[in-house]
Amino acid sequence: DKTTFLTQHPPPPSKIYQFSMSGEEEKKREMKRALLIIDVQNDFCPGGSLAVGGGDKIIPLINQMRSEIKWDLICLSQDWHPSDHCSFGPNNKGAPLFTQITLPKTGSKQMMWPIHCVQGSKGSEFHPDLTQDKDKDIVVYKGTHKWVDSYSAFFDNDQKTKTDLDDILKKHHITDVVCAGLAFDYCVGFTALDANKIGYKTTVVQDACRSVAPESEKAMTQRINEQKIPLVSTEEILKSMGH
């Protein structure tokens, strides 16, 4: 059962050490915020090969946050798999989708997904309704390595390889991140948990996300609440941050 499997087999938490800035006044004076738009790609929206129900409904909310809040940086993560990626069921001798196998090469556990977000494919492209500024937005690719998957926009699931996102945020002196996108119970949630562990002040805009399944949404909500990461609405974030 797809729903039960996703709930019972989340990827492991990242092992990252926290750091914190010193002094409330210094934090306030140097606060810089980034919007992290996670995987709003055609294959995760209705009509895509791994569609999240209502995935396209979040796009107007994300666009509204872009236009009505002053961001120091906007980053978009993009699932960007090679065609022979280890997570694709058809690449593993027809392993049933939404089941977990042990990869013979690495010995690691891997969920089997439909083929999705193949590099350069239509499905890997950002949804056409998503507002972008190609001169200023920074795109972070994830899931690019054949033998390891990547849910978080910060780290591969083996916790050994990091994406460019943390370095980019540090280069721009970002202190606060706001996360939205697809899917809440996987890529958005694990991105938020990693951001919090690294030391960013992290917020998730819950109505600007959608989940794969109710059970995994409940499990991710619990993990986020345990870390005291705020779950807010678009209306709330606009009231607190809007111009």
Side-chain angles (χ1 to χ4, degrees), residues 8-238:
Q8 293 176 350
H9 299 84
S14 299
K15 299 174 183 176
I16 309 163
Y17 296 101
Q18 283 189 313
F19 69 90
S20 60
M21 298 177 66
S22 59
E24 288 301 316
E25 288 303 315
E26 182 180 358
K27 282 174 99 173
K28 185 175 180 181
R29 178 169 55 84
E30 295 187 354
M31 188 271 286
K32 286 194 170 186
R33 60 193 175 207
L35 177 62
L36 306 184
I37 302 171
I38 307 301
D39 296 5
V40 183
Q41 296 167 255
N42 289 326
D43 270 344
F44 296 132
C45 292
S49 64
L50 189 48
V52 178
D56 56 338
K57 303 300 184 187
I58 69 173
I59 294 173
L61 300 178
I62 293 174
N63 290 344
Q64 185 179 12
M65 286 190 288
R66 282 195 67 127
S67 64
E68 296 186 19
I69 297 173
K70 184 182 184 301
W71 302 99
D72 296 289
L73 186 67
I74 296 177
C75 294
L76 297 85
S77 73
Q78 189 169 15
D79 229 23
W80 194 248
H81 296 310
S83 60
D84 58 356
H85 195 252
C86 65
S87 73
F88 297 164
N91 290 338
N92 292 277
K93 296 183 179 179
L97 298 179
F98 309 110
T99 63
Q100 191 179 59
I101 69 167
T102 300
L103 296 174
K105 182 176 177 66
T106 63
S108 60
K109 302 291 186 181
Q110 176 62 54
M111 188 188 302
M112 294 292 94
W113 299 108
I115 294 173
H116 65 280
C117 297
V118 174
Q119 296 171 6
S121 68
K122 187 75 175 176
S124 71
E125 295 175 5
F126 294 116
H127 192 284
D129 294 340
L130 183 70
T131 300
Q132 295 178 67
D133 184 338
K134 295 187 177 180
D135 293 326
K136 293 183 180 179
D137 293 352
I138 296 179
V139 176
V140 175
Y141 299 102
K142 65 186 189 68
T144 61
H145 302 110
K146 175 181 177 179
W147 288 108
V148 63
D149 211 353
S150 182
Y151 294 138
S152 169
F154 286 95
F155 294 90
D156 283 347
N157 289 356
D158 64 3
Q159 304 166 30
K160 297 176 183 176
T161 310
K162 61 186 291 188
T163 69
D164 296 330
L165 182 55
D166 185 37
D167 290 339
I168 290 166
L169 296 178
K170 285 182 168 59
K171 178 182 177 182
H172 289 83
H173 308 291
I174 298 299
T175 58
D176 296 38
V177 298
V178 175
C179 303
L182 301 170
F184 171 80
D185 42 354
Y186 282 88
C187 296
V188 177
F190 283 104
T191 297
L193 291 169
D194 279 349
N196 181 65
K197 289 176 184 177
I198 293 169
Y200 297 103
K201 183 180 177 184
T202 305
T203 303
V204 177
V205 186
Q206 197 163 15
D207 63 343
C209 304
R210 287 293 185 276
S211 292
V212 172
E215 290 83 1
S216 46
E217 177 178 5
K218 182 178 178 181
M220 179 57 73
T221 300
Q222 181 177 346
R223 293 184 70 167
I224 288 174
N225 286 336
E226 286 171 355
Q227 298 303 317
K228 297 181 170 55
I229 299 169
L231 292 169
V232 303
S233 67
T234 304
E235 182 179 4
E236 288 170 326
I237 207 84
L238 290 171

